[in-house]
Amino acid sequence: MEIKKEDLPVMLQAFDLHENTEIFVAEQLVHTQVDVDRFTALYAGKIIKASKEMVNPRNNGHVPPTQKRNPAIGFVMIAIILIMLALVIYGFSTGWIQEKFNVSI
């Protein structure tokens, strides 16, 4: 498989054909023709697809998939931390923590 130098880097994917369905085998981001040759030799006999990779200078050309974050998880974590902090303050103010753990302040 020949890739033009100006098309690099590309993402190569290897698939195995089983009962008219493609089964994913491997994926690799390649930056040189030598890497392309190694990948195609390693997965000879498999279906190999190439797709142009968007270049991102911060992470050397690899663009990771974005994940949606659930804002409720952050709210729950903040609420738990605030409750724990309130319990510690209450425990110190009533003397319960000093009594149970033999702490003298």
Side-chain angles (χ1 to χ4, degrees):
M1 172 183 279
E2 294 291 324
I3 305 288
K4 291 186 230 172
K5 191 170 187 170
E6 54 270 359
D7 289 338
L8 292 171
V10 295
M11 182 66 72
L12 295 179
Q13 296 175 330
F15 295 90
D16 198 10
L17 191 60
H18 182 69
E19 296 178 1
N20 293 332
T21 59
E22 293 178 351
I23 300 171
F24 177 76
V25 176
E27 177 179 64
Q28 182 179 351
L29 178 67
V30 294
H31 296 280
T32 64
Q33 184 63 44
V34 174
D35 292 336
V36 172
D37 294 338
R38 283 186 198 139
F39 187 85
T40 54
L42 184 61
Y43 296 103
K46 309 280 188 230
I47 297 172
I48 296 177
K49 296 181 180 181
S51 62
K52 181 72 176 143
E53 190 67 20
M54 295 174 54
V55 175
N56 186 348
R58 287 189 297 158
N59 57 7
N60 200 15
H62 186 268
V63 179
T66 58
Q67 295 179 346
K68 293 183 180 179
R69 296 183 182 177
N70 190 350
I73 293 174
F75 178 73
V76 169
M77 292 301 292
I78 290 172
I80 289 172
I81 290 170
L82 288 176
I83 290 171
M84 297 286 287
L85 184 63
L87 288 174
V88 168
I89 291 171
Y90 180 75
F92 272 111
S93 66
T94 60
W96 182 83
I97 291 178
Q98 291 90 332
E99 181 182 310
K100 291 295 179 188
F101 296 106
N102 294 324
V103 176
S104 60
I105 294 179

